[in-house]
Amino acid sequence: MKNTLALYTFYEKDGIVKNDILHYLKELKKEISKIVVIVNGKISPEGRLKLEELNIDILVRENKGLDFGAWKAGIEYIGWDNIRKLNGLLLCNCTCYGPIYPFKEMFDKMALKDCDFWGINRHPELNVYLVPENNKSKILEHIQSYFLFFKPHLLKSNHFKKWWDELIEYSDYNYEVGLHETKFTAYLENAGYKSASYMDFDKYKKLFNDNASVQCCDIQLIQDRNPLVKKKIFSTDYRYYLPLSSGSQAADLVQFIKEKTAYNINYIYDDIITHNKLSFSKTVLHLNYILPTNTSSVVKKETIALLMYIYYEDCIDYCFNYAKSLPKSSDIYLIVSNASIKDKCLQKFKTWDFNNVECQVMKNRGRDVAAYLLFGKDIFEKYDYVCCMHDKKSPSYGTGITGYHYAEHCFKSTLYNTDYVNNVIKTFEENPQIGMLVPPTLNFSVFYHTLGKEMWMEEENVKSVLKMLNFNIPFDEQSVIPFGTMFWVRGKAFLPMFNHNWKYEDFPKEPCPAGCTILHAIERAYPFAPQEAGYLVGMVMPDCYASVILDNQLYMLRNLNISLFNKFGVSDFITLEKNIKINTSAISNNGLNNEISIPKLRKAIRFYSVIEYYFYKFLSKVTFGKAKTRAKQKKKFWKYTRKQYGR
């Protein structure tokens, strides 16, 4: 449209203009003759150059006043005389992806509407005050301000100018929405101007009497061809979806965009990988891959490697039998604890027709973590996909059956059989945004706490590791962790783990405590590496084992519900969770909170580690001959534990 103007507000912490922004503006230029990007804060030199190449004006201002403050600055930059000569003014911002469909469809349809201004979505009135102490902050029925178009008659009016002249800039989001966005529509309508929305307000009010642009995003896109997708769909707390829906909106939306539209889905992936916590992206996109074990297609020519650490001689056969699930074109890299095991590993693994088998001996320090980080860099650089594995007995968990099922959980989820492995590779090929696939979170025996206490006492140690690696992504307390340190990964997705030059001295000497070491921190840091490299992380499991995982969780959830419903009443999940928090908060305030403090837990682990130490000492004596004297070992052990946990 000739003689039209768009004022587009832009904010990005580092001033980076991503591809989704550029695409939006390129497509908008097809309908709007002039665009001014108003930068709240800063813009990178590269970003400025990209916008200038699109012949877009740039106005950089202090980051205050949010959208309405920026639009006011843009209007003053253009000047009221020029504003009043326009055939149309569009106010928009960087909170959406798109257009998924051409903007022209929407502009053509709305040009026929009998209105003075219009937007995409109309929000219903709610009995909610966004600023509790301000009775003017109630959410009124309004056109949402992420896309507002004003026709010439309104632009020439004194009412329109008065709004902007008297605008008070706020830096608080609730003030901005409560006193600007939700009031602007009513202000203009009360002055006699007509509004309209592209989405059918009556339809979506019946479906969801709140923000339909988020809760009904998939329906608006698929049924009503809404060209824009709100970014907050991928960052809104998952609790928002569950009271009224299955929570499939974001995943359904992405699947539709990938399969039915020409929009580049990587624009969305690249943005959420940069800004979202990994576990949140995994949850809203439902990145769970349940793969067949009885059928598969032939793997293409991708290079595949197995990087496996073997410590126990009696685990060689067990590891080999699972390794046979790999394509015979795979290369095998074994890291072992002594020369005797090396010979037996080579003898066993070379009976199978793998492309290549190599074996190296490492010091008994750092376990599988050291094997991956000291011996793996060249492997991750060379291969498309790497399966990281190690033998596992877990004697510290007491009964042998627990350690056995822990190992089975990890091995089944990574190397179940040949068909399964082929399907893992196919999953990577069909989902280039996925950088790592990990087994499902453990949910049985002593591991039950890993679902909800993923970091447990390791959080500060994990943060230290991420800082050492110079990672710049959001920290995630609930990250998608490969407990047991066995997983599949794209080679290049793991390379950020080598931002540090690892040495044996980085890892604790044996005997190693059951927790609070750098080994346990690195285990939890692994999934951050793919995100740092620009990938997402998903969970993978064979179809036959997924039924076990599902039944475990349903059984435990059902029994928890029985107990909780008896105490708090039958309700939906969100209400139940709220009642529990209120109740436990009251208990805590009355001094009845029995949660163990971190210092007490550390003390308990020191005690537990003493028991574990003597157990390993016994194993060492039995399997590797003469042990050091007890006094010498005890002194060395306590020196280590004091260093790890403090006195």
Side-chain angles (χ1 to χ4, degrees):
M1 293 182 288
K2 293 182 178 179
N3 194 30
T4 50
L5 169 70
L7 298 178
Y8 178 96
T9 62
F10 169 80
Y11 169 78
E12 210 280 334
K13 181 181 67 172
D14 298 317
I16 298 171
V17 181
K18 296 184 180 298
N19 287 329
D20 67 284
I21 303 288
L22 294 173
H23 177 77
Y24 184 115
L25 294 172
K26 284 179 183 177
E27 294 300 305
L28 190 59
K29 278 189 69 69
K30 295 177 181 179
E31 305 303 319
I32 301 293
S33 57
K34 180 180 177 66
I35 300 175
V36 177
V37 170
I38 308 159
V39 178
N40 276 345
K42 61 181 178 180
I43 183 171
S44 67
E46 296 81 7
R48 177 182 285 275
L49 181 61
K50 290 175 182 177
L51 294 182
E52 289 174 346
E53 288 175 351
L54 294 176
N55 196 29
I56 289 174
D57 286 7
I58 303 166
L59 173 62
V60 180
R61 64 189 291 273
E62 184 182 351
N63 184 20
K64 64 176 185 179
L66 302 176
D67 284 345
F68 277 83
W71 289 326
K72 179 179 181 179
I75 289 171
E76 292 171 349
Y77 170 76
I78 297 297
W80 278 107
D81 288 344
N82 292 321
I83 292 291
R84 284 172 167 157
K85 295 176 183 177
L86 293 172
N87 290 328
L89 170 66
L90 174 65
L91 304 181
C92 52
N93 60 29
C94 60
T95 63
C96 296
Y97 302 115
I100 312 301
Y101 307 108
F103 276 129
K104 188 177 190 309
E105 288 184 19
M106 179 171 63
F107 277 99
D108 287 351
K109 180 177 179 179
M110 298 310 290
L112 303 176
K113 292 276 187 179
D114 180 20
C115 64
D116 299 298
F117 67 106
W118 58 269
I120 295 178
N121 265 291
R122 191 175 186 92
H123 193 294
E125 180 175 344
L126 301 176
N127 191 28
V128 174
Y129 292 83
L130 292 173
V131 184
E133 67 275 13
N134 191 319
N135 59 11
K136 295 182 179 180
S137 66
K138 182 179 178 181
I139 297 180
L140 302 179
E141 189 176 304
H142 64 281
I143 305 294
Q144 290 180 271
S145 63
Y146 64 89
F147 200 95
L148 281 171
F149 188 84
F150 304 92
K151 295 184 177 180
H153 175 66
L154 181 52
L155 297 178
K156 294 179 173 67
S157 72
N158 291 329
H159 294 101
F160 189 71
K161 184 175 185 299
K162 181 182 178 183
W163 169 270
W164 297 104
D165 286 345
E166 297 179 358
L167 184 83
I168 300 173
E169 294 186 11
Y170 297 109
S171 295
D172 180 90
Y173 175 80
N174 286 338
Y175 275 84
E176 170 85 345
V177 177
L179 301 177
H180 289 160
E181 179 177 3
T182 68
K183 301 300 180 291
F184 194 24
T185 299
Y187 168 81
L188 293 175
E189 288 177 341
N190 290 338
Y193 301 99
K194 295 180 181 179
S195 67
S197 62
Y198 186 53
M199 295 292 103
D200 185 337
F201 175 62
D202 291 332
K203 171 182 176 178
Y204 286 102
K205 186 177 180 181
K206 291 176 183 177
L207 280 173
F208 181 57
N209 191 36
D210 201 325
N211 188 358
S213 67
V214 175
Q215 188 71 264
C216 303
C217 59
D218 51 338
I219 303 173
Q220 290 197 350
L221 176 76
I222 297 168
Q223 294 184 9
D224 295 322
R225 297 181 67 83
N226 185 343
L228 297 182
V229 172
K230 293 287 289 180
K231 292 182 178 181
K232 69 190 309 180
I233 291 163
F234 301 95
S235 59
T236 297
D237 193 321
Y238 197 60
R239 289 177 178 86
Y240 179 77
Y241 297 107
L242 291 180
L244 294 170
S245 71
S246 66
S248 67
Q249 288 93 323
D252 291 344
L253 182 148
V254 165
Q255 194 67 22
F256 180 83
I257 292 173
K258 287 168 64 175
E259 295 179 356
K260 304 294 184 180
T261 77
Y263 187 77
N264 188 340
I265 196 65
N266 289 320
Y267 295 159
I268 296 177
Y269 286 141
D270 291 347
D271 192 52
I272 63 176
I273 288 168
T274 302
H275 295 110
N276 281 13
K277 290 184 177 182
L278 200 61
S279 64
F280 191 89
S281 296
K282 185 263 175 192
T283 300
V284 297
L285 294 175
H286 304 292
L287 302 177
N288 304 298
Y289 299 93
I290 300 172
L291 305 180
T293 55
N294 58 2
T295 182
S296 66
S297 54
V298 178
V299 174
K300 296 179 182 178
K301 294 183 179 180
E302 280 78 2
T303 55
I304 301 167
L306 171 67
L307 176 56
M308 178 177 278
Y309 171 69
I310 299 178
Y311 178 83
Y312 300 104
E313 184 176 318
D314 60 354
C315 287
I316 294 174
D317 286 347
Y318 179 89
C319 293
F320 172 69
N321 287 332
Y322 271 104
K324 289 191 296 183
S325 300
L326 289 160
K328 289 188 176 181
S329 59
S330 304
D331 290 337
I332 310 299
Y333 296 91
L334 305 173
I335 313 298
V336 299
S337 55
N338 62 63
S340 174
I341 293 179
K342 175 181 177 179
D343 293 339
K344 292 176 180 177
C345 281
L346 286 172
Q347 182 180 359
K348 172 61 70 172
F349 277 77
K350 286 192 174 181
T351 62
W352 198 250
D353 192 22
F354 291 117
N355 183 60
N356 182 50
V357 178
E358 296 181 15
C359 188
Q360 298 185 67
V361 178
M362 65 172 272
K363 296 179 183 178
N364 184 26
R365 183 167 181 171
R367 303 182 182 181
D368 52 279
V369 173
Y372 300 166
L373 298 180
L374 295 179
F375 294 84
K377 185 178 181 181
D378 291 343
I379 296 170
F380 292 109
E381 289 178 337
K382 179 179 179 180
Y383 291 88
D384 295 317
Y385 309 113
V386 180
C387 182
C388 295
M389 303 295 295
H390 63 92
D391 57 0
K392 194 163 194 63
K393 286 189 176 182
S394 305
S396 59
Y397 294 116
T399 60
I401 192 68
T402 302
Y404 171 79
H405 279 275
Y406 190 180
E408 281 287 279
H409 173 89
C410 296
F411 274 86
K412 282 180 179 178
S413 300
T414 47
L415 293 171
Y416 186 85
N417 63 18
T418 300
D419 280 329
Y420 178 71
V421 169
N422 287 342
N423 288 322
V424 170
I425 302 304
K426 184 180 178 182
T427 299
F428 277 116
E429 292 171 351
E430 293 179 348
N431 298 275
Q433 77 281 5
I434 296 293
M436 177 182 281
L437 290 171
V438 308
T441 303
L442 293 157
N443 61 13
F444 59 88
S445 185
V446 295
F447 313 111
Y448 179 71
H449 73 275
T450 58
L451 193 60
K453 285 287 186 182
E454 287 82 358
M455 289 295 167
W456 198 216
M457 294 178 297
E458 311 292 346
E459 183 169 324
E460 293 306 316
N461 291 337
V462 175
K463 288 179 178 178
S464 296
V465 170
L466 299 180
K467 183 176 181 181
M468 180 172 65
L469 293 168
N470 296 314
F471 285 6
N472 296 308
I473 51 178
F475 182 76
D476 188 358
E477 302 84 354
Q478 302 172 13
S479 189
V480 191
I481 299 168
F483 288 107
T485 59
M486 296 187 231
F487 50 87
W488 278 94
V489 66
R490 290 183 191 273
K492 58 186 177 183
F494 201 69
L495 293 179
M497 287 301 301
F498 300 98
N499 289 352
H500 175 72
N501 184 25
W502 298 99
K503 305 178 293 294
Y504 276 113
E505 291 72 26
D506 290 319
F507 310 111
K509 294 180 180 179
E510 297 292 347
C512 184
C516 296
T517 73
I518 193 172
L519 301 181
H520 301 89
I522 291 172
E523 174 186 38
R524 289 160 172 78
Y526 282 148
F528 290 90
Q531 187 177 8
E532 180 72 16
Y535 295 93
L536 294 167
V537 176
M539 284 186 179
V540 66
M541 63 201 87
D543 48 12
C544 53
Y545 188 52
S547 62
V548 176
I549 296 294
L550 179 60
D551 277 335
N552 283 354
Q553 296 192 348
L554 289 176
Y555 177 84
M556 290 182 281
L557 179 60
R558 180 179 183 275
N559 282 280
L560 280 175
N561 278 348
I562 290 171
S563 298
L564 293 170
F565 289 160
N566 287 337
K567 183 174 180 62
F568 299 105
V570 177
S571 65
D572 63 84
F573 166 74
I574 302 301
T575 304
L576 180 62
E577 183 188 40
K578 186 183 298 183
N579 288 337
I580 293 170
K581 287 180 177 179
I582 292 171
N583 185 270
T584 54
S585 176
I587 292 174
S588 179
N589 291 336
N590 288 322
L592 299 175
N593 190 351
N594 292 320
E595 186 172 343
I596 301 173
S597 66
I598 293 299
K600 286 183 179 179
L601 281 169
R602 290 182 181 275
K603 186 175 181 180
I605 284 182
R606 286 201 297 271
F607 173 76
Y608 179 75
S609 295
V610 174
I611 306 300
E612 182 189 30
Y613 161 71
Y614 284 112
F615 179 69
Y616 277 118
K617 179 176 180 289
F618 169 75
L619 288 179
S620 175
K621 190 170 185 179
V622 170
T623 56
F624 297 110
K626 185 177 179 181
K628 296 179 180 179
T629 66
R630 178 176 297 183
K632 187 174 181 180
Q633 283 193 335
K634 186 175 181 180
K635 181 179 179 182
K636 188 175 182 180
F637 177 77
W638 278 108
K639 181 179 179 181
Y640 170 73
T641 54
R642 282 197 297 270
K643 181 180 178 182
Q644 287 291 316
Y645 309 116
R647 296 180 181 274

